[in-house]
Amino acid sequence: MRLRLPVRGPAALKVVAAAGAAAAPVRFVWGGPSELPRAPLRPPWAPVLELQSGAVLFSPNAICQFFFLCRGEEPTDLSTQWLEWEATELQPAVAAALYTRLVLGRRAAEAVQTLREPLAHIEQSLARTGAAFLAGDTPSVADVVVWGTLFPIVQEESSLPGELQALRAWFQNMTLSEACRDAADTVLMPKALLEFKSYLQKQPPPCVAMQRAASNEPEEEEGSERALTEDEIAAAADAWARGAAALPKPWQPQKPVLPVEGMRNVLITSALPYVNNVPHLGNIIGCVLSADTFARYCRLRNWNTLYVCGTDEYGTATETKAVEEGLTPQEICDKYNAIHADIYRWFDISFDCFGRTTTPSQTTIAQDIFQRLLARGFLLQDTVEQLRCEGCQRFLADRFVEGTCPFCNYEEARGDQCDKCGKLINAVELKSPQCKLCRGVPVVKPTQHLFLDLPKLEQRLEAWLEQSWATGDWTANARYITRSWIRDGLKPRCITRDLKWGTPVPLDGFRDKVFYVWFDAPIGYLSITANYTNQWERWWKNPQQVELYNFMAKDNVPFHSVIFPCSLLGADDNYTLVNHLIATEYLNYEDGKFSKSRGVGVFGDMAKDTGIPADIWRFYLLYLRPEGQDSAFSWSDLMLKNNSELLNNLGNFINRAGMFVCKFFGGTVPSMLLTPDDKRLLARVTLELRQYHQLLEKVRIRDALRCILSISRHGNQYIQVNEPWKRIKGDEKERQRAGTVTGVAVNMASLLAVMLQPYMPSISLAIQGQLCIPADCFILSHDFTCTLPPGHRVGTVSPLFQKLENDRVEALRRRFGGGQAKQAPPAPETLVALTDPQRLQELTQEVARQGNHVRQLKANKAEKAQIDVEVAKLLELKKQLALAEGKSPEAPGPKGKQKK
């Protein structure tokens, strides 16, 4: 093995330490970035491990893990969790700290202070477990990787806060270990940091997302904002001055959309919804809405984007539904495909093509993949025991068998997968099985079937996964679920079923069978594209030019990360495999689960009957998108977010900005004379805009939405502090100031219209119409520019959102509550007594004044005791304001992510 490293770069430290700790037989080759093999998405300072097989590893963490695997140390769930935390949480924080230390020239202690949250996380974990190391009583790859990331900024345990005793002891033990000490000497820290400084100076400043809780509290309660540099302020003012001419021109692809040489070609799929099931809100956010938001963002970036989806229509469920409704399976599919299409149309899902799997193209492509697998020896024949219901006179599809899970004893496990533990199972393994159709007890009968030989494909799969994980963005749950499959060892997987409604198997002896849905269904992505364009292979057999994003809920991960990739790898026809697998957790409904039969929860065909606009549903579902853990839909929270974030924050700012132009300046954007405070605001908005980009590029859709709300919150504070409605009545200088504030504010509203488009397309279009934003300005760049210059005429401005009243929301809660609806407690009298509009206005102004006072104290670095007193006053005012607005008066919960 040969490990090529850039000249003493920080990333080299952990791979050199891992090589030493694992006693890996590797030869170091030091060389500048220009001498290293090229790879997309690889920073020029990243190390490269060249294996004897010819394979190349580009990810530092993958290289470290490979070294430990070579000495026989398998990763544990805990060490894997630490590696993912290091990559997603610690690395960005350390990058910001290094920038603070090297580029901004701050003191080491100040740089370490920016790491207080990740350091506290390590401290709490070590203290809770009582272990000497992160994943147990002996050092693991996790210890080496986390130490290697921290050492460039910490270097000595004395640099760590004194109260972090467990962390200091761990860091000292690691630093004194032979492997880490030799690595530090070999890489020549801290001298290498000075060489790394030149690289950092050429990069945009790192902007670590503030871990905001899901509340409406202003930013002064969520931790102090990162200080702006003079260079950032000057750059923001310069970008503003360049105006709309500096924006790239929006690019319109030809129809049909095909890959274009030299462009970023993005292919997006969302999991194919099963045709018989009307999707509920959890289904919608888990796949089609999340994918739509990202697809819209990609188009705003001028990326050549194709978004395909459709209904999955084959299988026993369709046959059974047809019998129930007295229709043929095809008629059932036609009926429900139209229902799905209508629901997604109402939710404004921007598919390039929404198709279906019951097409000749599906048969042709699926059978071709099958034949290629057969010819290459990746299929097996075997007799299997299968459950047959004598009452129904049929072999039972897996999903029509229910029983107790053999792994976790969950009593409602399906015949193909347990929803509780997530393991895939064979129906005959279920304890106490029952036929879901007639509730009879099925019997086991033998039948011949074909199997995909997953063990034979395992080595190819692992090599591909290693490359995909190193260069792509897979959500943590997708990686974890995939690893658990591979760790347990792959087994042959049956790909045929004794059914009539499906893609026929083109092999003698099996022509009375059809393909199993999870071999057949993912091929629907290809066949739907083939029905969209006869040049579909330019998307699906073009991994050199195409990036593939798969969106789904976590229960679909194994089929997209193991079974379908194995089918394509085995077919060996240059197929495009997934680069980025984006899986959500589950969205629950109030205190339970969605259930159509029990009338619990909102389903897609019901949402439009509530009278709540589609964009409000989109906003709320994306606001609570279950990205890292399960979340729950709540009617009271929907009302709260609509009335606070949309009506009082976002809508209030955009409406005021536009109204000031109309009321004070005759509908024409006034001239602007920027002050230093205005330029600082431009820089602050630019930081939020760049954070929005960083998050969406990583498909952290929910977190990016917070950046939009933060910008509008900055805008409201800007207007409130500068009071243009008063200044317009003053002398010439005051009127000029009113014009500047109004002009900057309406340009912030213009920027928000573009940033909102992926989330709330109808609202975005309404803002564009009201402000007469030129179509050429509907493009996303990384700079906040003046797109509505002095002299620009705006249109008629009107409110964007309406208040949701408590009575209406309670009626909807009862309507969709089924058997689990709860009687809402009577509202406290104070909620009614304090809703006087004048009092509401007074409290709003008092909160704004006190918030400004707290910010000023922090800016002046006042004594902590004095700040605490004023913050307490601010919290009390906010409680009173919450009561006046009819909200819950409880204090907000702890900020940031909860440590597990």
Side-chain angles (χ1 to χ4, degrees):
M1 292 185 293
R2 183 167 60 177
L3 183 62
R4 297 176 63 91
L5 301 114
V7 180
R8 312 303 186 219
L13 181 63
K14 58 185 174 185
V15 295
V16 172
V26 61
R27 181 165 63 91
F28 297 146
V29 180
W30 296 94
S34 61
E35 299 176 37
L36 296 174
R38 295 187 61 189
L41 306 180
R42 180 181 63 80
W45 44 265
V48 172
L49 179 64
E50 299 172 358
L51 306 180
Q52 291 179 346
S53 64
V56 178
L57 299 184
F58 295 106
S59 163
N61 283 9
I63 293 171
C64 293
Q65 205 162 21
F66 182 81
F67 288 151
F68 275 76
L69 282 169
C70 286
R71 77 167 188 182
E73 183 174 316
E74 293 287 337
T76 65
D77 287 347
L78 188 54
S79 67
T80 297
Q81 289 172 19
W82 274 111
L83 289 180
E84 289 174 354
W85 175 82
E86 185 272 344
T88 58
E89 303 289 341
L90 183 60
Q91 279 189 34
V94 169
L98 281 170
Y99 188 89
T100 299
R101 178 80 177 99
L102 299 178
V103 179
L104 304 183
R106 305 285 170 76
R107 292 179 295 113
E110 188 175 348
V112 171
Q113 181 63 19
T114 65
L115 300 175
R116 58 188 181 278
E117 288 192 17
L119 294 179
H121 175 62
I122 301 173
E123 169 73 19
Q124 290 167 11
S125 298
L126 290 168
R128 184 175 64 250
T129 62
F133 297 97
L134 298 178
D137 294 325
T138 58
S140 69
V141 64
D143 296 280
V144 174
V145 167
V146 173
W147 173 85
T149 301
L150 283 176
F151 185 81
I153 200 70
V154 177
Q155 298 191 26
E156 296 180 1
E157 71 275 4
S158 59
S159 303
L160 296 166
E163 64 271 16
L164 304 181
Q165 291 297 320
L167 172 60
R168 292 180 70 152
W170 168 84
F171 188 82
Q172 183 181 38
N173 286 339
M174 290 301 299
T175 304
L176 293 177
S177 69
E178 183 179 356
C180 293
R181 189 173 63 249
D182 289 349
D185 292 340
T186 301
V187 184
L188 297 182
M189 293 297 190
K191 180 182 177 182
L193 296 180
L194 300 178
E195 298 176 5
F196 193 58
K197 178 178 179 179
S198 61
Y199 171 79
L200 288 178
Q201 287 173 328
K202 299 173 185 176
Q203 307 305 308
C207 182
V208 179
M210 295 173 64
Q211 295 181 346
R212 299 182 178 122
S215 72
N216 301 318
E217 301 303 317
E219 293 178 358
E220 63 265 17
E221 289 184 35
E222 296 174 356
S224 58
E225 293 177 332
R226 178 170 80 73
L228 295 166
T229 68
E230 291 302 318
D231 287 345
E232 288 171 337
I233 295 170
D238 181 60
W240 166 273
R242 290 198 299 270
L247 292 173
K249 296 299 180 186
W251 182 75
Q252 293 297 327
Q254 298 292 319
K255 300 296 181 182
V257 182
L258 295 171
V260 176
E261 182 77 33
M263 291 192 70
R264 184 172 181 180
N265 299 295
V266 178
L267 176 57
I268 298 172
T269 69
S270 55
L272 305 183
Y274 198 67
V275 72
N276 290 345
N277 299 328
V278 176
H280 56 63
L281 298 181
N283 302 138
I284 290 168
I285 185 58
C287 51
V288 294
L289 179 54
S290 293
D292 176 69
T293 304
F294 185 69
R296 290 176 177 274
Y297 171 74
C298 292
R299 296 180 190 122
L300 286 172
R301 292 293 304 276
N302 272 352
W303 297 343
N304 187 39
T305 304
L306 180 71
Y307 176 23
V308 297
C309 187
T311 44
D312 172 15
E313 301 188 350
Y314 284 131
T316 302
T318 303
E319 291 183 352
T320 306
K321 192 74 170 178
V323 172
E324 289 176 5
E325 298 195 16
L327 300 171
T328 66
Q330 188 63 61
E331 288 170 338
I332 281 289
C333 293
D334 293 343
K335 173 183 174 180
Y336 283 93
N337 173 270
I339 291 173
H340 276 268
D342 185 57
I343 289 169
Y344 303 137
R345 192 178 303 113
W346 187 80
F347 273 95
D348 212 353
I349 307 299
S350 62
F351 303 117
D352 290 289
C353 179
F354 182 77
R356 54 201 308 184
T357 57
T358 51
T359 66
S361 294
Q362 176 76 9
T363 301
T364 300
I365 298 172
Q367 290 184 346
D368 177 66
I369 291 173
F370 169 80
Q371 295 285 13
R372 295 181 69 88
L373 288 168
L374 183 65
R376 286 158 178 76
F378 293 120
L379 297 180
L380 305 172
Q381 295 185 23
D382 199 2
T383 300
V384 298
E385 303 292 322
Q386 193 169 336
L387 292 175
R388 178 178 173 85
C389 179
E390 297 299 345
C392 298
Q393 284 296 298
R394 67 193 307 166
F395 283 101
L396 294 176
D398 292 342
R399 285 178 176 258
F400 281 82
V401 184
E402 195 172 78
T404 301
C405 174
F407 300 103
C408 71
N409 292 318
Y410 177 58
E411 294 182 353
E412 296 180 10
R414 299 194 310 266
D416 62 343
Q417 186 174 24
C418 175
D419 284 336
K420 184 176 182 182
C421 69
K423 289 187 178 293
L424 295 188
I425 51 184
N426 288 318
V428 293
E429 297 174 340
L430 286 172
K431 303 174 187 175
S432 306
Q434 275 191 331
C435 171
K436 289 185 67 175
L437 302 176
C438 70
R439 288 299 166 190
V441 178
V443 295
V444 178
K445 291 275 181 97
T447 180
Q448 277 279 324
H449 279 292
L450 293 167
F451 290 74
L452 181 62
D453 193 350
L454 292 179
K456 198 171 182 179
L457 289 159
E458 189 165 357
Q459 190 172 357
R460 296 189 190 195
L461 176 72
E462 290 183 343
W464 165 73
L465 282 172
E466 186 175 272
Q467 183 271 336
S468 185
W469 287 348
T471 59
D473 290 312
W474 288 47
T475 52
N477 57 357
R479 291 172 184 254
Y480 178 80
I481 291 167
T482 304
R483 281 195 189 98
S484 67
W485 257 60
I486 295 174
R487 184 189 61 230
D488 296 341
L490 297 182
K491 300 175 180 61
R493 189 74 182 171
C494 187
I495 64 167
T496 54
R497 285 293 183 267
D498 289 295
L499 304 174
K500 298 298 182 186
W501 184 244
T503 301
V505 178
L507 183 65
D508 291 342
F510 296 87
R511 295 186 186 277
D512 59 340
K513 303 179 190 294
V514 298
F515 290 127
Y516 174 42
V517 66
W518 273 113
F519 173 79
D520 185 64
I523 298 171
Y525 300 134
L526 284 63
S527 69
I528 289 168
T529 310
N531 287 320
Y532 169 71
T533 171
N534 59 10
Q535 300 182 68
W536 64 274
E537 292 183 349
R538 290 177 60 183
W539 283 108
W540 286 103
K541 294 185 180 181
N542 189 6
Q544 296 79 16
Q545 289 188 330
V546 174
E547 282 184 75
L548 174 58
Y549 287 79
N550 288 163
F551 285 80
M552 69 203 67
K554 64 181 178 182
D555 58 335
N556 281 337
V557 167
F559 308 109
H560 289 80
S561 67
V562 176
I563 296 177
F564 187 43
C566 279
S567 298
L568 298 183
L569 288 166
D572 192 23
D573 202 15
N574 197 40
Y575 278 106
T576 302
L577 300 178
V578 61
N579 304 96
H580 316 275
L581 201 156
I582 313 301
T584 62
E585 301 292 319
Y586 293 135
L587 177 72
N588 296 315
Y589 181 80
E590 295 282 355
D591 296 329
K593 294 184 177 182
F594 291 87
S595 172
K596 189 83 169 179
S597 61
R598 293 187 291 118
V600 175
V602 181
F603 286 72
D605 55 347
M606 304 171 180
K608 59 184 175 183
D609 297 332
T610 63
I612 298 173
D615 267 17
I616 306 302
W617 287 108
R618 287 178 62 108
F619 167 82
Y620 184 59
L621 291 174
L622 292 163
Y623 191 95
L624 51 80
R625 182 174 183 263
E627 292 186 357
Q629 60 185 14
D630 291 357
S631 59
F633 174 91
S634 161
W635 282 106
S636 58
D637 190 53
L638 169 64
M639 179 180 70
L640 177 65
K641 297 302 184 293
N642 178 83
N643 295 347
S644 59
E645 291 291 17
L646 292 181
L647 184 64
N648 293 343
N649 177 18
L650 182 66
N652 180 54
F653 169 66
I654 293 173
N655 184 254
R656 292 172 86 188
M659 287 299 296
F660 289 159
V661 176
C662 295
K663 184 175 180 180
F664 302 144
F665 300 98
T668 301
V669 176
S671 62
M672 291 164 270
L673 186 62
L674 300 183
T675 67
D677 283 344
D678 299 326
K679 293 177 182 178
R680 274 191 288 273
L681 176 64
L682 301 184
R684 185 66 62 195
V685 171
T686 299
L687 283 183
E688 291 289 352
L689 172 61
R690 291 183 177 180
Q691 179 66 20
Y692 168 91
H693 281 300
Q694 289 175 11
L695 291 167
L696 277 176
E697 286 172 3
K698 295 293 184 183
V699 205
R700 291 173 59 181
I701 296 171
R702 181 195 62 199
D703 291 341
L705 179 55
R706 304 311 200 261
C707 298
I708 296 174
L709 300 174
S710 182
I711 289 175
S712 62
R713 197 169 288 118
H714 280 300
N716 277 317
Q717 293 170 354
Y718 178 63
I719 288 175
Q720 204 66 30
V721 167
N722 285 282
E723 300 180 322
W725 62 90
K726 291 183 180 179
R727 294 181 184 271
I728 196 67
K729 300 174 184 177
D731 57 22
E732 181 62 29
K733 183 178 180 181
E734 289 288 279
R735 289 196 296 274
Q736 173 66 59
R737 183 63 189 151
T740 299
V741 172
T742 299
V744 170
V746 78
N747 272 278
M748 289 175 66
S750 176
L751 173 65
L752 287 170
V754 185
M755 295 175 71
L756 265 177
Q757 201 270 352
Y759 295 88
M760 307 179 77
S762 295
I763 292 297
S764 171
L765 188 62
I767 301 168
Q768 183 182 16
Q770 291 183 19
L771 301 183
C772 299
I773 303 171
D776 280 355
C777 294
F778 250 65
I779 188 76
L780 277 171
S781 78
H782 282 71
D783 293 315
F784 174 30
T785 61
C786 179
T787 54
L788 306 182
H792 173 85
R793 295 282 301 177
V794 302
T796 303
V797 177
S798 58
L800 297 167
F801 305 106
Q802 293 183 337
K803 186 177 182 180
L804 277 178
E805 300 293 346
N806 188 64
D807 290 348
R808 180 184 178 191
V809 168
E810 284 303 316
L812 290 169
R813 187 203 306 274
R814 289 191 295 271
R815 174 181 167 189
F816 295 105
Q820 69 181 32
K822 296 181 179 179
Q823 184 68 32
E829 292 183 5
T830 50
L831 293 182
V832 179
L834 289 177
T835 51
D836 173 57
Q838 183 176 352
R839 176 60 177 153
L840 187 63
Q841 184 178 2
E842 291 173 357
L843 282 170
T844 301
Q845 293 173 349
E846 288 180 33
V847 167
R849 281 195 294 270
Q850 185 65 15
N852 289 333
H853 181 49
V854 169
R855 278 192 297 276
Q856 192 62 46
L857 287 174
K858 290 181 177 180
N860 294 336
K861 298 185 178 179
E863 293 292 329
K864 185 177 185 299
Q866 182 184 2
I867 294 175
D868 289 344
V869 169
E870 298 305 321
V871 168
K873 292 179 183 178
L874 177 61
L875 290 173
E876 181 58 35
L877 285 170
K878 286 181 177 177
K879 288 182 183 179
Q880 295 180 30
L881 179 59
L883 287 168
E885 291 178 333
K887 303 175 188 173
S888 171
E890 285 86 4
K895 303 294 178 187
K897 296 182 180 177
Q898 299 299 309
K899 304 294 188 287
K900 295 183 181 179

